[in-house]
Amino acid sequence: MPYLSTRDRRQPPERVPFDAVLRDGLAHDGGLYLPAEWPKLSAADLTALRGKSYAEIALRVTTPFLDGIVAPKQWEKMIAEAYADFDDPEIAPLKPLGDGFWLEELFHGPTLAFKDYALQLVGKLFEYVLEERRARVTIIGATSGDTGSAAIAGCSGAALVDIFMLYPKGRISEAQRRQMTTVAAENVHAIAIDGTFDDCQDLVKAMFADAPFRRDLNLSAVNSINWARIMAQIVYYVAAAVALGAPERKVGFTVPTGNFGNVFACQVARRMGVPISEIVIATNRNDILTRFFETGRMTMGTVEASLSPSMDIQVASNFERFYFELKHGDAGAVGEGVAAFRKTGTLPVTEAEWKTARDAFTAARVDDDGTLAEIKATHDATGIVLDPHSAIAVAAAKAKRRDPNLPMVALATAHPAKFPEAVKRAIGKLPEVPERLAQVMRLAERAPSLPNSLAAVEDYVRTYARAAQTAGAAS
Ligand SMILES: *Cc1c(COP(=O)(O)O)cnc(C)c1O
């Protein structure tokens, strides 16, 4: 299965192999990668997945996307390793909320948020591809919370990877910080920057733009636009649909959304043949996507802090993958549309495209009061304690389900113990702390701090990255 860039307007477009897609993340023309076609899961394929383990479903769902880069036996082993350390044997258990609503818990990985489901696997994939090529990479990234810790957990100890995560000093929660700074592996470097999250992101962009630095360090990223992450996320949609009666029975999903990555994975499951009849996009007050579905205009706003910080995003970068679909694969139109969005703050969408988008998705906004109210309501009714992101999904699912006979799955994307203050405000008590988080709160931290200066950060990375030492020795 080769890949294409959403902005490659050449005829025919270049067909890019999976390992390049994995390593580069972003295409060289600035576009995002998509498989040239969708592999299919037939009704018989779905029936055959009934009663299978998460790892077995992952193997079946992801193998066609690998383009033959990883041998099947090896891939099976990597999947088993990626999920071996999860703290629930079902990996992504479904819990009934009553009335046909379900919760799919995606917080049983090492950092207690759903990003582990992809990054554990992507970490293994990186290592494998690097070993094949006997290469080293330096992964750099900026994080405002869950991504950085999940990326670190996915890469810690990898012999050929060094990872540097920049986070804004004093602006992430203690649990989030500790999940990065208590990792003892020598290849892991979490760096506090005297600045905001945007400053961290600008530093990362500037390092990628510094060509000699990028080359010497063999820079790479595992940010949310990396196709391999989306690929790994398709699995839990297939697993839930099969558990709830697919292929005979249709199912709906409600996805608490920031960058549109997780929603797009759901859309891919649908394209592959999973009978998903409703997808609800749930946003917080940072509602660029909800406003788009309501008005047909995708217009940038300013980011405001909410109780669900991992959804505090105004530019949903993965939307470009769906935009490509809306434009019927016209890469020129995608490139022009995205350029116009940058320039004017509004993405050009026709009336017909808006209608197509509304047929595919429904959207709902849930503000902080609604979030707290849902944590309380769900707790009162079921005893289940939701984190703020998951509460937004549950509230949106209840508000927007069109067909009351449809099983509707709301995704629980983080463990409540990661957001104890919000939970306490909602139900008057703190959530239980899982053992792995309790441990993180006890371990010693290693937290270097640097000024908001490109020279200082590049200097630090050159000093500690092993790729730089190899490059130095060779030149
Ligand atoms: C990242 C994140 C989201 C948003 O996911 P997207 O793929 O960016 O839409 C939602 N909830 C939690 C807890 C997250 O960490």
Side-chain angles (χ1 to χ4, degrees):
M1 183 70 58
Y3 289 78
L4 315 171
S5 162
T6 53
R7 296 192 205 168
D8 187 352
R9 54 174 83 209
R10 289 170 296 181
Q11 282 306 335
E14 188 187 351
R15 295 164 80 85
V16 181
F18 178 77
D19 53 339
V21 166
L22 173 72
R23 185 196 55 218
D24 295 347
L26 196 67
H28 290 290
D29 53 24
L32 308 190
Y33 288 118
L34 281 172
E37 63 205 72
W38 298 120
K40 292 291 180 211
L41 290 168
S42 67
D45 291 334
L46 291 171
T47 305
L49 292 178
R50 277 202 195 132
K52 294 278 197 265
S53 69
Y54 190 85
E56 288 168 315
I57 296 174
L59 183 67
R60 174 63 190 86
V61 171
T62 57
T63 298
F65 290 106
L66 295 186
D67 205 10
I69 295 294
V70 188
K73 275 284 156 222
Q74 186 67 27
W75 184 230
E76 192 176 344
K77 188 164 157 257
M78 285 156 71
I79 292 172
E81 282 170 7
Y83 299 109
D85 193 30
F86 281 48
D87 69 8
D88 188 299
E90 287 184 55
I91 311 296
L94 281 169
K95 300 276 160 79
L97 294 173
D99 242 358
F101 292 101
W102 297 81
L103 197 65
E104 187 171 29
E105 292 182 353
L106 301 176
F107 51 68
H108 293 287
T111 72
L112 308 175
F114 88 97
K115 294 193 172 70
D116 289 327
Y117 288 69
L119 285 165
Q120 282 297 312
L121 204 51
V122 171
K124 301 266 177 285
L125 263 174
F126 253 89
E127 250 189 291
Y128 177 83
V129 169
L130 293 171
E131 267 167 34
E132 292 284 293
R133 302 164 162 233
R134 300 177 202 287
R136 252 181 209 296
V137 289
T138 307
I139 292 176
I140 55 171
T143 184
S144 56
D146 297 330
T147 303
S149 54
I152 284 175
C155 298
S156 83
L160 296 168
V161 177
D162 290 300
I163 180 164
F164 294 81
M165 272 294 153
L166 312 185
Y167 64 91
K169 190 175 189 171
R171 290 170 200 252
I172 64 174
S173 78
E174 185 182 0
Q176 287 174 325
R177 186 190 71 235
R178 284 178 155 275
Q179 282 183 327
M180 297 192 281
T181 57
T182 60
V183 176
E186 272 182 40
N187 69 327
V188 166
H189 307 269
I191 305 168
I193 298 293
D194 262 318
T196 63
F197 172 62
D198 288 336
D199 294 330
C200 296
Q201 248 182 337
D202 288 345
L203 288 168
V204 169
K205 280 189 199 144
M207 282 187 269
F208 271 96
D210 179 344
F213 185 78
R214 180 176 184 167
R215 188 191 57 230
D216 289 354
L217 277 295
N218 211 359
L219 286 194
S220 191
V222 288
N223 49 22
S224 78
I225 48 96
N226 196 305
W227 166 260
R229 284 180 62 177
I230 303 220
M231 173 192 81
Q233 290 171 211
I234 303 163
V235 177
Y236 46 74
Y237 293 106
V238 178
V242 167
L244 293 172
E248 286 82 15
R249 205 155 163 231
K250 291 181 177 161
V251 56
F253 286 97
T254 304
V255 187
T257 304
N259 252 320
F260 205 75
N262 209 4
V263 175
F264 193 75
C266 190
Q267 171 73 353
V268 175
R270 180 195 254 168
R271 288 274 169 266
M272 290 175 76
V274 181
I276 298 170
S277 58
E278 296 183 18
I279 302 176
V280 180
I281 295 169
T283 64
N284 64 23
R285 64 198 290 182
N286 297 293
D287 60 348
I288 179 168
L289 287 164
T290 302
R291 282 185 284 117
F292 167 67
F293 285 94
E294 284 170 353
T295 66
R297 285 174 60 82
M298 172 94 70
T299 305
M300 222 182 292
T302 48
V303 179
E304 289 175 41
S306 77
L307 294 175
S308 41
S310 301
M311 295 159 67
D312 289 346
I313 282 168
Q314 280 288 356
V315 179
S317 40
N318 272 296
F319 190 79
E320 181 167 335
R321 290 191 156 106
F322 181 64
Y323 193 56
F324 183 78
E325 206 174 287
L326 283 180
K327 295 286 178 199
H328 303 289
D330 179 349
V334 171
E336 281 154 29
V338 173
F341 182 61
R342 288 244 181 75
K343 206 161 138 220
T344 66
T346 300
L347 187 74
V349 176
T350 66
E351 191 78 22
E353 288 161 357
W354 178 41
K355 183 174 178 313
T356 305
R358 274 184 306 162
D359 289 342
F361 305 106
T362 325
R365 161 186 38 249
V366 180
D367 64 11
D368 281 354
D369 288 343
T371 304
L372 294 170
E374 188 57 58
I375 295 175
K376 182 164 184 344
T378 295
H379 183 251
D380 287 350
T382 66
I384 290 174
V385 179
L386 298 171
D387 102 288
H389 306 79
S390 314
I392 287 175
V394 173
K398 289 179 181 168
K400 295 289 173 177
R401 179 171 64 172
R402 292 178 198 160
D403 175 359
N405 298 315
L406 185 79
M408 172 56 88
V409 181
L411 300 193
T413 49
H415 191 285
K418 281 193 106 167
F419 302 94
E421 295 83 12
V423 170
K424 179 129 200 271
R425 265 174 73 186
I427 60 172
K429 62 171 188 186
L430 289 168
E432 271 176 47
V433 179
E435 179 46 32
R436 23 174 144 233
L437 188 58
Q439 213 171 10
V440 157
M441 300 311 273
R442 288 191 298 263
L443 288 172
E445 289 189 83
R446 187 165 53 113
S449 166
L450 291 175
N452 176 17
S453 141
L454 180 63
V457 176
E458 286 194 344
D459 208 42
Y460 190 94
V461 174
R462 275 193 188 276
T463 304
Y464 290 101
R466 292 166 295 175
Q469 290 149 22
T470 324
S475 59

